[in-house]
Amino acid sequence: MIVLVLVAVAASAAAVWWYRTSQPEVRRPGEALEAITSRLASDLPSDAPEPHFEKVTAAAGLDGFVSFRGARSSQLPEDMGGGVAWGDFDNDGDDDLFVVAGGGPLGTPAASLAPSRLYQNLGDGRFGPAAGFPPLKIHGMAAAWGDVDGDGWLDLVVSGFHVLRLYTNHHGTFSRDPDFAEPAGFWAGVAWGDFDQDHDLDLYVCGYVRYEKDEAGQATSTEQYGTAVPFTLNPASFEPERNLLLRNDGGVFTETAALVGVANPGGRSLSALWHDFDGDGWLDLYIANDISDNVLYHNEGGETFEDQSLAAWVADYRGAMGLAAGDYDRDGDDDLFVTHWVAQENALYSSRLADRRREGPANTQAALQFSDLAARLGLAQIALPMVGWGTAFADFDGDGWLDLVVANGSTFETEDVPKRLGAQAPFLFWNQHGEHFHDLAPGSRALEKPAVGRGLAVADYDRDGDLDIAMVDLGAGVRLLRNDMQRGHAVELRLSSRGPKGKPTGRGEGAEVIAEIGPNKLRRVVASASYLSQDSALVHIGLGEKTQIDQLEVRWLGGDRQRFGALEADHVYALTEGEAEPRRVSATAHGVAPRPGAQENQAQKPDRSGPGCGDCDRGSPALDHRQRLARFWTLQRAAMDAMKRDQDPAAAADLFRQALALDPSHQDARYYLASSLEALGQTGAAAAELETLLAHSPRSHRALKQLASLRLRQARTPAELAGVSTLLERARAVNPEETGVLLLQGEVALLRGDFATAESRLEAACRSNQQAVGGFFLRAYLAHSRGDEARARSLLEQAQKARGAGWKPEGTTAEGDIKHRRSGRDESPLARFWRAWGGDPANAETFSGLERALASMPQ
């Protein structure tokens, strides 16, 4: 995707590649990427934390999101999006999530595109589709939250290919703003910031390229690092798109990019970051450009901007995508991290502002200079094989030092048909006291799996006191990774700044927070860029072993400086501009008690700094909150290991029951207890556990689906099939596009003799998931049953493609190969027919067993 155009630049990049790969400490010639990450993991310092992240996408109700529907056609807009944006749209105190979908191939009718979605945080570790957001099916890129009209409710801007829309929030219900100009263009990153200090948010919009579909161009390619890149995937094939600065004047926007000097006409822009880099109280602007220099615009008092890219040494000439800013070395100024294309390394521009100020007068323009220290800090060479996208500074282990996370994903096409993009594993860089960054991702089961990463943003979605990660995988869905690695304490702050009418409506955008903990000063700034994405506005300050912030200073953008006294660890505080005292909102799971009114659920984790209770009576009411949490998670993780690693459902069931004795409302424990019992053949007991789960959480999609699947395998009468159908309708109401439910609905309709409904549900399943083998096979049977043998053969060919070349019919597993044998559990009564299918074309024998099974069902 990000392609080098000039021969000189290509030669330079090749020279960098050769030099870096020749260094024995970094990458040995010919060494595989897996060997590099394995070797790096083995060199970790002894005090490096364990990278405990848990993939909770399904448990959180986000597994139904699809970022791209259909087969790529090797065109640039198909491969760039989308992003994620965290924001509390309903003002209930927790962050909700908007996920942008790339949609599908260019030329696809809008109705067939994968939809972008707003998910409402339900407050118990789960999300549900927000009812008040209109359907949105676009070739999407970015999204960002901001209170545009100062009414105290977050509005949302969304960008994409020929899409730029503003959705106004009316107390939790959204409508498309008819007065917001929606110019045509290939719009990428969007960023809110009050550049003129009039107390309302202005909007910067990155224009990428002036893309035009060219059928002939898809057959033309250039070679990049030994890989053929189609003309239509090369951004250098197209002129740069214009950038926009939409100045907000009381809810009316005026385009002023050229007027104030930030049009960046030669940049193919992907990301933008508003940030006060020199501490003069005015937001500067940094822009990440593809195959053209990045730009740093210095804010000259809200009237104009000056290009200081070269003077500040940040005119980055590489293919840049993601941005993040933070004080990684705790020296009192903010540094800049930039992700790049393959063979270009990533950059960490360390600010020299603090050093220059110590040398001479403060707040001089000459003081704004940076040095790229990525190679010295371990961030450069490791990124050579990667294409980096979304990124964020965040203190994941709570030790007070900002770590880094990076989403990676190739832009080179594989040889698959249809062509896919190469998957790459993300980075999780632990900050060793500002001296070096170590990638911990290879040691995490949730992070080690390669994907085609794009957008990424962080938030404390479960309000347990640590920062979690959401990222979008192109062609797949969204990943939600719950943070279980924080060892120390933390304080979290929710800031409210004053809007144009003096009311506290903003989220503290641009504010700087300085926390004094003993002799140390930790700085955090409310800002976000990433790639097409937006982090939570919550300020997270890790304290390590300390139990309080001694003093806190807040420097509001364009406003006063306020100082506050001691703040106790493991709590969330609300700070409003101009109010003398912070307001304690709640405790976190690392604190003394759970937040008021909330269930103890999957999000709550033990305080690892406190005493354990391995010898306690696990059911004793005398156990305090921390001890119960610690004991619960010891049992829960042991149960998961017994189920997944050891494949011992009996041991897993016993451990899950022990865990539930401590926390009966925990959804994960209840769901996996049911799974373990089902694997043991105890279907009645499994169904009872799922019914208990649904009594506590009637909208649990996975519980509804699994209970329906279990009862479907036992159904023998029309009434029982009708009951299954009811459960599936409930599941589909929660998530209308989840493939598994659509497949099960198709099977139920077949078993009930309703072929029209079966065709409708199965076709929808195949449309949303090209790997739905069962859907294609059953649709082939339906075509065969109505005498359309050509259609049946075509659908069987798609089923064969979906299951891949290495597939073997059930029953042909090699002798002794028990690793690939299935357990006794089967998700549906008809699955055995397509698993046993040997790949023969459509004929009477292909479907004979299926026909007999259907004929045996009473109608």
Side-chain angles (χ1 to χ4, degrees):
M1 175 83 52
I2 316 300
V3 208
L4 301 179
V5 190
L6 301 177
V7 173
V9 178
S12 174
V16 170
W17 173 269
W18 175 85
Y19 175 76
R20 297 302 187 192
T21 55
S22 68
Q23 306 307 298
E25 292 89 343
V26 180
R27 187 172 188 236
R28 304 183 182 96
E31 185 179 14
L33 177 61
E34 291 78 7
I36 301 171
T37 55
S38 176
R39 179 161 46 81
L40 288 171
S42 67
D43 293 338
L44 291 175
S46 59
D47 59 340
E50 291 292 331
H52 290 307
F53 277 83
E54 187 74 18
K55 184 179 178 182
V56 294
T57 311
L62 299 174
D63 55 330
F65 176 79
V66 177
S67 67
F68 193 91
R69 182 180 292 161
R72 295 171 57 256
S73 59
S74 297
Q75 299 192 73
L76 193 60
E78 299 170 353
D79 291 354
M80 301 302 293
V84 288
W86 292 101
D88 182 10
F89 83 85
D90 52 2
N91 287 340
D92 65 351
D94 49 32
D95 280 310
D96 310 294
L97 183 66
F98 189 84
V99 192
V100 185
L106 291 191
T108 302
S112 300
L113 295 174
S116 300
R117 291 196 181 279
L118 174 58
Y119 288 97
Q120 185 175 23
N121 192 332
L122 303 179
D124 60 356
R126 298 176 301 121
F127 294 81
F133 195 86
L136 180 59
K137 295 188 176 184
I138 59 174
H139 299 287
M141 292 287 282
W145 296 99
D147 184 4
V148 173
D149 48 11
D151 66 350
W153 295 82
L154 287 178
D155 310 299
L156 183 72
V157 65
V158 182
S159 71
F161 184 57
H162 293 307
V163 173
L164 184 63
R165 297 181 187 174
L166 178 63
Y167 289 92
T168 305
N169 185 350
H170 309 281
H171 294 239
T173 300
F174 291 81
S175 65
R176 187 171 169 180
D177 188 341
D179 298 323
F180 184 76
E182 299 182 0
F186 191 169
W187 307 119
V190 288
W192 295 105
D194 182 13
F195 82 90
D196 52 4
Q197 290 191 14
D198 62 352
H199 296 280
D200 54 24
L201 293 174
D202 312 294
L203 179 66
Y204 195 81
V205 182
C206 294
Y208 189 34
V209 298
R210 296 179 181 176
Y211 184 84
E212 295 181 6
K213 185 175 180 179
D214 185 344
E215 301 289 353
Q218 290 175 252
T220 306
S221 64
T222 58
E223 185 171 301
Q224 300 291 333
Y225 297 105
T227 300
V229 177
F231 175 91
T232 50
L233 289 180
N234 186 344
S237 304
F238 309 96
E239 293 297 316
E241 181 56 88
R242 67 199 185 281
N243 290 359
L244 310 174
L245 175 57
L246 303 179
R247 188 185 64 214
N248 185 355
D249 298 308
V252 178
F253 290 90
T254 305
E255 208 292 291
T256 60
L259 179 66
V260 302
V262 294
N264 189 210
R268 295 168 175 85
S269 304
L270 288 172
S271 301
L273 170 65
W274 291 107
H275 204 91
D276 181 11
F277 283 106
D278 59 352
D280 65 353
W282 296 90
L283 290 177
D284 309 307
L285 180 66
Y286 189 80
I287 303 170
N289 289 322
D290 190 6
I291 62 170
S292 46
D293 289 358
N294 291 357
V295 184
L296 173 61
Y297 289 114
H298 182 263
N299 191 337
E300 303 289 314
E303 297 292 333
T304 61
F305 289 78
E306 179 184 345
D307 184 349
Q308 292 192 2
S309 315
L310 292 172
W313 305 342
V314 289
D316 192 312
Y317 60 88
R318 294 166 279 189
M321 282 84 81
L323 299 174
D327 188 4
Y328 85 91
D329 51 3
R330 303 201 323 200
D331 67 348
D333 52 32
D334 279 342
D335 313 294
L336 177 65
F337 183 73
V338 186
T339 62
H340 291 119
W341 193 52
V342 66
Q344 297 181 1
E345 303 182 336
N346 292 333
L348 179 57
Y349 290 107
S350 180
S351 175
R352 301 181 63 197
L353 180 64
D355 295 334
R356 298 286 295 232
R357 284 179 172 171
R358 283 190 288 269
E359 296 170 1
N363 294 319
T364 61
Q365 293 184 11
L368 193 57
Q369 292 180 346
F370 297 80
S371 297
D372 185 0
L373 302 183
R376 181 189 307 175
L377 294 167
L379 296 169
Q381 300 95 330
I382 191 174
L384 280 170
M386 301 298 194
V387 179
W389 302 89
T391 185
F393 276 114
D395 182 6
F396 290 115
D397 61 341
D399 66 351
W401 296 87
L402 289 175
D403 310 304
L404 267 170
V405 60
V406 181
N408 295 314
S410 180
T411 59
F412 289 138
E413 294 181 321
T414 67
E415 295 301 317
D416 299 336
V417 179
K419 289 194 173 184
R420 305 177 186 276
L421 299 180
Q424 296 179 330
F427 291 133
L428 178 67
F429 290 114
W430 171 64
N431 184 350
Q432 189 182 18
H433 299 170
E435 299 173 355
H436 199 83
F437 285 87
H438 300 270
D439 182 24
L440 305 183
S444 168
R445 283 183 291 183
L447 287 162
E448 66 179 354
K449 185 178 179 180
V452 186
R454 288 297 184 264
L456 177 149
V458 299
D460 183 7
Y461 82 94
D462 48 7
R463 297 193 296 180
D464 66 345
D466 54 28
L467 293 174
D468 314 293
I469 303 169
M471 64 179 75
V472 173
D473 297 329
L474 183 66
V478 63
R479 272 187 287 174
L480 181 61
L481 305 178
R482 188 189 64 216
N483 182 358
D484 293 342
M485 71 179 286
Q486 181 166 297
R487 299 179 296 183
H489 300 280
V491 167
E492 293 182 335
L493 309 172
R494 295 191 178 274
L495 274 58
S496 296
S497 47
R498 298 286 174 176
K501 298 178 181 179
K503 296 181 180 179
T505 64
R507 302 192 300 168
E509 289 91 346
E512 178 184 5
V513 174
I514 302 173
E516 298 179 12
I517 302 104
N520 299 315
K521 291 186 177 182
L522 306 186
R523 296 176 61 258
R524 300 290 184 266
V525 175
V526 183
S528 179
S530 191
Y531 173 77
L532 310 180
S533 301
Q534 185 183 44
D535 296 323
S536 168
L538 175 137
V539 177
H540 173 274
I541 302 173
L543 306 181
E545 297 180 353
K546 302 296 184 180
T547 58
Q548 71 173 25
I549 293 176
D550 301 322
Q551 294 284 328
L552 184 78
E553 180 180 358
V554 180
R555 301 174 180 176
W556 302 96
L557 181 67
D560 296 332
R561 299 188 179 191
Q562 291 183 267
R563 290 189 67 86
F564 304 94
L567 300 180
E568 184 183 351
D570 305 318
H571 287 81
V572 182
Y573 294 86
L575 283 74
T576 301
E577 184 177 6
E579 293 187 1
E581 295 295 331
R583 177 169 56 88
R584 182 180 294 183
V585 176
S586 62
T588 67
H590 288 280
V592 178
R595 60 184 183 272
Q599 295 178 340
E600 294 178 12
N601 57 61
Q602 63 195 23
Q604 296 173 312
K605 304 180 286 294
D607 179 356
R608 295 180 180 86
S609 64
C613 76
D615 298 325
C616 306
D617 176 4
R618 60 178 178 264
S620 171
L623 296 180
D624 66 23
H625 176 69
R626 293 189 182 190
Q627 290 175 324
R628 292 176 70 84
L629 279 177
R631 179 60 181 167
F632 171 84
W633 280 98
T634 298
L635 291 165
Q636 173 74 359
R637 287 168 179 146
M640 294 298 291
D641 284 342
M643 182 179 68
K644 293 186 174 182
R645 185 190 63 196
D646 303 332
Q647 297 186 8
D648 187 346
D654 180 62
L655 290 163
F656 282 127
R657 284 195 176 101
Q658 294 180 41
L660 286 165
L662 292 167
D663 184 357
S665 64
H666 195 280
Q667 294 185 34
D668 271 4
R670 185 75 61 186
Y671 177 80
Y672 289 119
L673 171 58
S675 298
S676 301
L677 293 170
E678 189 176 351
L680 292 169
Q682 301 176 26
T683 54
E689 296 297 341
L690 292 169
E691 288 166 349
T692 300
L693 194 162
L694 287 168
H696 286 284
S697 181
R699 289 177 55 83
S700 174
H701 182 272
R702 59 178 177 170
L704 287 165
K705 176 185 171 183
Q706 191 56 34
L707 183 58
S709 174
L710 190 153
R711 289 185 172 166
L712 178 56
R713 294 195 298 278
Q714 300 172 318
R716 296 293 181 270
T717 68
E720 289 171 339
L721 286 173
V724 173
S725 184
T726 300
L727 285 170
L728 291 172
E729 282 300 324
R730 287 174 59 189
R732 190 161 176 258
V734 176
N735 188 343
E737 300 187 20
E738 201 274 327
T739 304
V741 168
L742 290 168
L743 284 171
L744 287 172
Q745 285 188 311
E747 290 193 44
V748 171
L750 270 177
L751 291 166
R752 300 177 77 180
D754 184 355
F755 283 15
T757 300
E759 178 66 41
S760 172
R761 295 294 186 264
L762 295 170
E763 191 277 332
C766 294
R767 187 172 63 246
S768 65
N769 183 3
Q770 295 294 312
Q771 307 304 311
V773 178
F776 287 116
F777 181 85
L778 294 177
R779 288 174 65 200
Y781 165 73
L782 288 170
H784 167 76
S785 67
R786 59 178 180 263
D788 189 348
E789 299 301 334
R791 180 62 174 159
R793 283 194 297 272
S794 175
L795 288 165
L796 286 178
E797 287 172 0
Q798 293 181 69
Q800 185 76 302
K801 183 192 302 183
R803 64 187 185 182
W807 175 88
K808 296 178 181 179
E810 194 171 84
T812 63
T813 306
E815 184 177 354
D817 183 12
I818 60 171
K819 183 177 180 180
H820 295 91
R821 292 183 188 273
R822 292 182 54 81
S823 68
R825 176 179 159 184
D826 204 354
E827 65 269 23
S828 70
L830 301 184
R832 67 184 188 274
F833 296 110
W834 65 76
R835 291 206 186 98
W837 173 53
D840 49 312
N843 56 51
E845 290 302 316
T846 302
F847 302 113
S848 59
L850 176 58
E851 286 181 326
R852 287 193 296 271
L854 294 176
S856 68
M857 289 298 298
Q859 302 300 317

